[in-house]
Amino acid sequence: MFRKVHIRLTLLCAGITAVIMIIMSLCYLYVSETGLYRNQFQSFQNDINTITTNLEQQSVISMEWLSKMEAQGNYLFYVLDGGVPFLYNQLNDTPENSSRSLLLDECRNAYERIIEVDASSERNSSYASFHSEFRFVSQSTDVEYFGSVINMGQNASSLEIIVLSSLQTLEKQILEQRFHFILIDLAAILALTVFSWLFTGLLLKPIMENHQKQVQFVASASHELRTPLAVILSAAECCKNAPVQKQEGFLKTIHQEGLRMSSLVNDMLTLSGSDNQRFAVRPKPIELDTLLMNSYEAFDPLARDKSITLSISLPDKALPPCSADPERISQVISILLHNAISYTPEHGRIALSLSYKKEHFYLSVKDNGIGISDEDKKKIFDRFYRVEKARSTKEHFGLGLSIAYEIVKAHGGSIQVTDAEGGGSIFTVIL
């Protein structure tokens, strides 16, 4: 399921980004190509102005000058004097170069379609000239050109020069630019896909881990509930057929297992409230030393019954009040003390202490019990996790430390476990 979601999120993330990138690339190419054509056309117009000025200053137009201008500017010239082609054009109009004549005819036709020349306009000077530039596509060569028609008149004579500039070089440059953008976009899309795969994987990782924890939680809860439920059903079945004097024992068993199930359900509801952000924490200024003393007095008889020495160490100086929920913090201390008493052997020692450093309160529960391995320390606060040595203890479902962790977390504090010197563990709550 998560793999399909991962793939779909990757395609969605990479796809949307790729579409935006392609649209931006197309917009850039449009602006860039429009600018290139505009600059090229302006350059062509400037060259035509220069050519027109040179023609006005010459009394004779030689074939050498025309050849030189064609070679320098990569232009194509066609000159008509009173409608009669120059000898230069006639020499170039060979069967091998028939496309030249056809191209010039297409240019003149395009000029006549696009430009309306007012031949009757009055000119004040005896020598006048004007030119018009345009753009057209040759049907014979399928190549785009810039064209210009220069009209020059002196007295009764007239001269017409057609100048053509091929856009093949510019189009080649534009094609190369498009090809480069395609390669860049493809490489970027590939990189985006890889990045999206890794990024969505990181986003899904906590969800997958949470889902896995939920599956494990349900499985563990079902297992834990199945055991007392099976005992209750078995005892109830036996109670129906048992003599009256034996029914009391079965009812006692049903009552004990019912209490176990009630305790487990209450713990599960507590953790469920934490998951749904409905964890009831009502902080107020409290005296932690008084709170620890009350917990010590409550658990001291239980420790004595197991021949365990329970001690408490409080600061000599008065401590400032701590903003916390007294019932919840008492619940944390009770969980830690209950675990310590359960897993500490007879004649063992448990030390409850409180200290205050740099505006932080440190509550510690130290024992010399079975200890916790480094591998177990990483999972000790997971739900339904119990150290292998303690799995036979029926009173513990593996939820106590999880609840303690959630309570401390809701207070903005932290809880940690370290090894005690000589064996055992130290649980420290920092508020």
Side-chain angles (χ1 to χ4, degrees), residues 290-305:
T290 302
L291 200 68
L292 258 69
M293 181 59 71
N294 293 336
S295 298
Y296 166 78
E297 292 175 353
F299 277 87
D300 187 51
L302 182 62
R304 289 180 181 177
D305 289 343

Side-chain angles (χ1 to χ4, degrees), residues 187-427:
I189 290 173
L190 179 61
L192 282 171
T193 304
V194 175
F195 172 78
S196 299
W197 176 265
L198 297 176
F199 182 69
T200 52
L202 291 176
L203 290 178
L204 287 173
K205 185 177 180 180
I207 300 176
M208 294 170 64
E209 291 177 351
N210 187 51
H211 178 264
Q212 184 64 27
K213 288 181 179 179
Q214 287 182 350
V215 172
Q216 292 176 352
F217 181 81
V218 172
S220 300
S222 301
H223 174 75
E224 295 293 346
L225 287 170
R226 187 184 297 117
T227 302
L229 184 60
V231 174
I232 290 173
L233 292 175
S234 177
E237 185 68 25
C238 294
C239 187
K240 289 193 301 182
N241 303 321
V244 177
Q245 60 272 20
K246 292 186 177 181
Q247 288 182 354
E248 184 178 355
F250 291 119
L251 292 175
K252 183 179 179 181
T253 301
I254 292 173
H255 178 71
Q256 291 175 344
E257 295 301 321
L259 291 176
R260 286 192 67 225
M261 289 186 65
S262 176
S263 175
L264 175 58
V265 170
N266 288 334
D267 289 346
M268 291 170 61
L269 289 175
T270 300
L271 292 173
S272 176
S274 172
D275 293 337
N276 296 326
Q277 305 298 323
R278 295 194 308 245
F279 205 72
V281 174
R282 301 177 180 84
K284 63 180 180 180
I286 61 173
E287 297 178 355
L288 287 180
D289 49 358
T290 302
L291 200 68
L292 258 69
M293 181 59 71
N294 293 336
S295 298
Y296 166 78
E297 292 175 353
F299 277 87
D300 187 51
L302 182 62
R304 289 180 181 177
D305 289 343
K306 288 192 64 176
S307 302
I308 296 174
T309 302
L310 178 61
S311 62
I312 184 171
S313 174
L314 299 175
D316 296 331
K317 297 181 180 179
L319 298 180
C322 175
S323 179
D325 187 328
E327 294 183 3
R328 292 296 187 183
I329 297 302
S330 295
Q331 186 179 2
V332 172
I333 299 172
S334 297
I335 291 171
L336 297 180
L337 286 175
H338 194 270
N339 282 352
I341 292 173
S342 298
Y343 302 136
T344 300
E346 291 185 359
H347 309 295
R349 297 183 306 278
I350 298 175
L352 181 62
S353 63
L354 173 65
S355 61
Y356 181 74
K357 302 175 184 176
K358 298 180 180 180
E359 299 184 354
H360 286 78
F361 296 92
Y362 294 82
L363 292 78
S364 298
V365 176
K366 176 183 178 182
D367 64 65
N368 62 345
I370 60 177
I372 303 172
S373 67
D374 292 338
E375 185 65 26
D376 289 327
K377 286 189 183 73
K378 302 176 183 178
K379 306 175 183 178
I380 197 69
F381 297 106
D382 292 347
R383 299 173 186 183
F384 288 109
Y385 184 82
R386 290 174 291 187
V387 179
E388 197 67 33
K389 297 176 183 178
R391 288 196 179 272
S392 59
T393 307
K394 293 180 61 178
E395 292 79 8
H396 293 269
F397 300 104
L399 295 179
L401 290 178
S402 300
I403 294 174
Y405 174 82
E406 295 295 341
I407 293 174
V408 175
K409 180 181 175 183
H411 280 79
S414 62
I415 183 171
Q416 58 191 23
V417 58
T418 55
D419 294 330
E421 293 184 7
S425 305
I426 304 175
F427 283 86

